[in-house]
Each structure stands twice: as structure tokens, then as C-alpha cells.
Amino acid sequence: MKQNLIYPKAPPTEPGKPDGKNERATQKELGLWYAHDPAIFKDDKTGYYYTYCTGAVCRRSEDLIHWELVGKVVDAPPQESSEWVGGTDIWAPDIVKVGDEYRLYCSNSTWGVRQSCIFLAVANHPEGPFEPRGCVLKTTDEMPVNAIDANIITDVKTGDMYMVYGSFWGGCHILKLDTETGLAAEEGIGQCVACRPVWMSAAIEGPYIIYNPETKYYYLFVSYGSLKSDYQVRVGRSKNVTGPYLDYHGREMTDVTDAENEVGLLLMSGYGWNDGTVYMAPGHNSVLHDSDDNWYIICHIREKNFTRKGEPSTMQVRKIFWSTDGWPMVSAQPYAGEQEQTIAESDLIGFYERITLANELPQGIRTAVPMKLGSDGYYENCSIQGTWQLEGEILKIAYGPYKEEARISVVWDAQRQCPTIAIAGISNKGINFWAKRTDSLE
């Protein structure tokens, strides 16, 4: 191995995939299995990273790599909510700290209906127990939106607090909150920030907004498609917390004339490298801007299974990089503690696999093809020939009318179980791509 590079260690091995039987009784031994709809939070007092998942299940970590189970942190929805919904399931919590109070926004719903409720539970510690305070929003089947999948965002200019929420039907909406109580500050359902054409089953959910102080944009992450097959993460951005949110090509995320599945910058989708497990349906993500200025995306994902048999979710954490014009690019590999370091042009010469995250209808599995970074700046990707060069920390690739920029990192290859060099990039056409080196680093 090249001695000037720092290589991450192998992350802990997860237990074998469960068969779905006796899930609750064996939760502690399941590792990250069934970590569905993960919301990330770093607590400034305990120093731990936390995730809160469907079922009100909390996990914690010191490094975003090793996770331990805390357990269920909300016993049950408030009576008003469970009577409204007709059930006690808790989905997709999201947490925010206001002063010394931890506020957990939980969805109470049942499958396939809009008779739902988002309720607020509070605690004085991130590990709970969280006690319900009240209902924030209730919806019915007659309403154009579903009260699930809450995420809380604060306007950096005014200090006003908002809740973005919703799925399917009428799309994702944003509603103003009362900062003091954490409950709704206005009547109604708020305004729509993202939706899809009805002919696509209007499949959109899991909205998440975060502000980047460097670019001065709010970024809206949403999940398109079905979590059982073609789930994928798309992104739009806005200078205002309430929108409108535009994609890479300037199309609004509320554009219902999208006939080619093009609206929203595609950030992640199902993928398969030439070795290892093939994955489908990454989505319902959250995003962390860490205190050291590193960025991470956390999502659930499933192994490829396009049958009618159910497939359990697991969780991935990946680093986010930012392009020079302010668009996110996600690491080609799950996070294993990789460090920022100088990588020389000579370190990059070699053979790679590349996955191009292009739009499809439906969004299927994007597979890897061969790529080469040759000496003297020669670039090759299947039959495509072009050039490459390293300008500071930015890898630049050019071929035909395409120009791409990318960030490089030394990662742990989860498929081949070895360290390697990974590339995360975006083209001037607004298409993200991943690559990883497959020949020896020696």
C-alpha cells in the first residue's frame, strides 16, 4: 500500500440478516437491521450521535460507526392521537433541541391511509423517556396530504421554526410552528414544497430540510418511489426555508408535469457493484452537519429483492461532499472513519468501477461498469475516452460535451473488504456518479 495514505479500518461486522420472526424479542441482537426511517442527532451534552427510527427506537454511537441500542423512547402516542388514528404505531420520529428541552416529533398512522397524526413528545435527555405533549397536526382521508414524516427546520434569518412533513397524495408540505410550545402556529396544512404527478402514484415522502451556511441555501431531500423497490433520494434547494425548491436544472420540486422522472437531483438509488451485495431502495434520509464541518447522510436501505417477499431494512451512513456550485455528492461507500488527506495524482492512476446515478423510469438498480484513470491524464469509461486532471482537491474529468468534478477519499470497500480510493462526483448535466478503485493500491 502507498505509505503516504491513511487507511480506515474495517467497520464492525453486522449480524446475519433476520428472517422476520420474533423481531421484537431479538431487537438488541439485530444490530442495524430494522433501523427504518433513521433521524440523526448529535447531542452537545452527552457527545453521542443518536438515531431515532420507526417504532420510536433509539440507538447511539460515539463515532457513527459502532452503534448500540438504547431502546424504545416513547411508550405510546397520546390518547387523542391513537383514538384519531385507530392504532398506536409510531413511525419516523425526528428530534430537535430547544433550550434544554428535547422535542421528538412522531407520526402515528396505519398503512395506506391519511387518517394520521403527528404528535410531539418531550424529554430532558436525548435518551428519554419522552412524554407526549400534544398533537401537532391531524389529517383525514378527505384531505390532500398525510400527517406523517415530520422534520423540523429553523429559519436562520428570523428564528421561526417550521415542520416539513407529508407523503404521497398531495405531496410534502411545510407548516409554521410555535417556537415556545413546539405545536402548530397556524391553522391548515401549510404550503406544498414538493410533489409528483398523480399518474406516478404521487410517490414522494420523507422530506428533510437542512441549511448550509457556506452556500446559504436550504436543501430539501425527499424520497421518491416505493420503499419496497424503486425508492431513491432527490434534492432541491432554495434561498428561503419555505421555498420554492428548485433542482439542478431550475425546475420546481412541485412540478407535476414531470413525465420522465427528471425533477430533483438524483442523489442515491439502488446500486450494484461487481462484487458483494446489490442494494435497492435507499431513502427516508436525514442529514448531519457535524461540529467539525463534515456532512453525513443517513438512510435506510434494503438488499435487492424484487419479489413479493418482504425485505428488512438496514441503515447506512455516508459522507456528503459539496460541488463548487453548491450541490451535494454522496460518498461511494458507507462511512468507516475515513480521514481527509492529501491524495496525489499518482495515487489515482489505476482501474475503477463506476456507477452513474442517472434517472430512469422506474428508477431501477444502477450497475457498475469499468473505468480507468490512466497516466498522462487519459480517461476511459467503457468506450468513452477523455481526459482527467487533479486541481487541488478536485478531480476534473472531461469527455465530449461532458465535464465532471469529483471529490476523492480513501475508504473501506464494503464489497471487497479492503481499503480503496473512492470518487464522488457530479457532471455539468446534473448527474451524480460513484467510482472506486479495484486494482491494488500497492
Side-chain angles (χ1 to χ4, degrees):
M1 294 183 179
K2 295 182 182 292
Q3 297 303 311
N4 61 318
L5 298 180
I6 302 171
Y7 300 93
K9 297 179 180 179
T13 302
E14 282 296 299
K17 183 168 67 173
D19 60 9
K21 299 177 181 178
N22 204 19
E23 173 191 340
R24 293 184 179 179
T26 59
Q27 181 96 52
K28 192 171 183 179
E29 288 75 38
L30 287 174
L32 296 180
W33 292 107
Y34 298 107
H36 195 72
D37 306 328
I40 188 69
F41 173 72
K42 186 178 183 181
D43 184 49
D44 54 1
K45 285 191 174 181
T46 66
Y48 280 110
Y49 301 91
Y50 292 93
T51 59
Y52 301 85
C53 297
T54 282
V57 175
C58 175
R59 294 174 176 85
R60 71 181 185 186
S61 172
E62 294 181 320
D63 57 9
L64 293 171
I65 303 168
H66 301 81
W67 293 90
E68 60 178 319
L69 181 70
V70 173
K72 188 172 183 178
V73 293
V74 182
D75 182 54
Q79 184 176 356
E80 178 187 359
S81 177
S82 58
E83 288 180 353
W84 177 265
V85 170
T88 59
D89 287 348
I90 298 176
W91 297 351
D94 186 56
I95 191 168
V96 64
K97 187 181 181 186
V98 180
D100 293 327
E101 184 175 72
Y102 297 85
R103 297 176 177 176
L104 197 68
Y105 288 80
C106 305
S107 305
N108 179 203
S109 187
T110 57
W111 186 259
V113 302
R114 280 166 279 177
Q115 187 80 16
S116 306
C117 178
I118 294 171
F119 69 89
L120 170 61
V122 299
N124 59 12
H125 193 279
E127 297 177 19
F130 288 83
E131 298 297 330
R133 170 171 290 170
C135 294
V136 183
L137 179 68
K138 295 188 289 186
T139 55
T140 70
D141 285 332
E142 286 69 42
M143 297 173 72
V145 69
N146 196 14
I148 66 170
D149 296 355
N151 165 244
I152 309 305
I153 178 68
T154 297
D155 189 323
V156 296
K157 295 178 182 177
T158 66
D160 291 335
M161 188 171 288
Y162 292 85
M163 179 180 74
V164 62
Y165 73 96
S167 76
F168 288 70
W169 296 290
C172 300
H173 286 58
I174 191 165
L175 181 72
K176 191 174 182 181
L177 299 179
D178 183 314
T179 305
E180 292 299 319
T181 65
L183 302 176
E186 57 184 355
E187 298 290 332
I189 60 175
Q191 65 185 74
C192 185
V193 291
C195 59
R196 301 190 75 196
V198 174
W199 70 266
M200 287 183 176
S201 80
I204 185 172
E205 63 183 15
Y208 196 94
I209 297 176
I210 195 163
Y211 180 74
N212 185 333
E214 185 173 338
T215 66
K216 295 181 172 55
Y217 277 103
Y218 296 91
Y219 291 83
L220 169 64
F221 297 75
V222 291
S223 295
Y224 282 10
S226 168
L227 58 85
K228 298 179 180 179
S229 56
D230 62 346
Y231 225 37
Q232 67 213 251
V233 178
R234 303 273 180 137
V235 182
R237 70 184 187 184
S238 175
K239 288 291 186 179
N240 301 303
V241 68
T242 56
Y245 286 87
L246 309 181
D247 69 7
Y248 185 93
H249 299 288
R251 294 182 67 175
E252 293 193 15
M253 298 289 282
T254 53
D255 188 344
V256 295
T257 65
D258 181 15
E260 302 296 335
N261 200 29
E262 293 175 336
V263 171
L265 173 67
L266 178 62
L267 197 61
M268 292 182 68
S269 71
Y271 67 91
W273 298 101
N274 290 326
D275 299 288
T277 302
V278 178
Y279 285 96
M280 68 178 190
H284 203 118
N285 71 277
S286 56
V287 177
L288 173 69
H289 184 197
D290 210 348
S291 55
D292 60 4
D293 207 32
N294 282 309
W295 290 78
Y296 302 89
I297 185 170
I298 296 85
C299 70
H300 67 238
I301 196 167
R302 288 172 164 82
E303 295 182 4
K304 180 186 175 184
N305 178 3
F306 290 155
T307 70
R308 295 181 180 178
K309 182 180 178 181
E311 186 68 30
S313 59
T314 186
M315 188 178 82
Q316 286 188 353
V317 178
R318 294 178 185 239
K319 290 193 77 169
I320 293 177
F321 308 98
W322 296 92
S323 70
T324 53
D325 58 353
W327 288 100
M329 306 172 291
V330 171
S331 175
Q333 289 290 311
Y335 180 65
E338 52 264 28
Q339 301 182 32
E340 291 188 15
Q341 56 190 294
T342 299
I343 301 175
E345 199 167 86
S346 58
D347 295 332
L348 299 180
I349 297 172
F351 294 91
Y352 295 74
E353 296 175 17
R354 171 173 167 143
I355 294 176
T356 301
L357 297 166
N359 300 330
E360 297 178 306
L361 188 64
Q363 193 66 46
I365 304 293
R366 302 300 299 176
T367 57
V369 295
M371 187 184 98
K372 176 183 177 181
L373 298 182
S375 58
D376 299 323
Y378 173 71
Y379 172 80
E380 184 177 284
N381 179 205
C382 292
S383 60
I384 295 171
Q385 296 178 328
T387 61
W388 71 276
Q389 60 180 325
L390 189 61
E391 294 185 3
E393 298 178 349
I394 301 176
L395 172 65
K396 293 192 172 181
I397 298 171
Y399 51 92
Y402 295 91
K403 297 185 184 299
E404 299 175 335
E405 67 166 279
R407 302 298 185 271
I408 311 155
S409 53
V410 179
V411 302
W412 182 260
D413 188 327
Q415 291 74 41
R416 296 166 57 243
Q417 291 295 297
C418 64
T420 194
I421 290 174
I423 298 170
I426 190 171
S427 77
N428 60 334
K429 305 293 185 180
I431 299 175
N432 274 291
F433 71 93
W434 294 335
K436 65 175 184 176
R437 188 169 173 176
T438 53
D439 58 345
S440 175
L441 295 180
E442 295 180 355

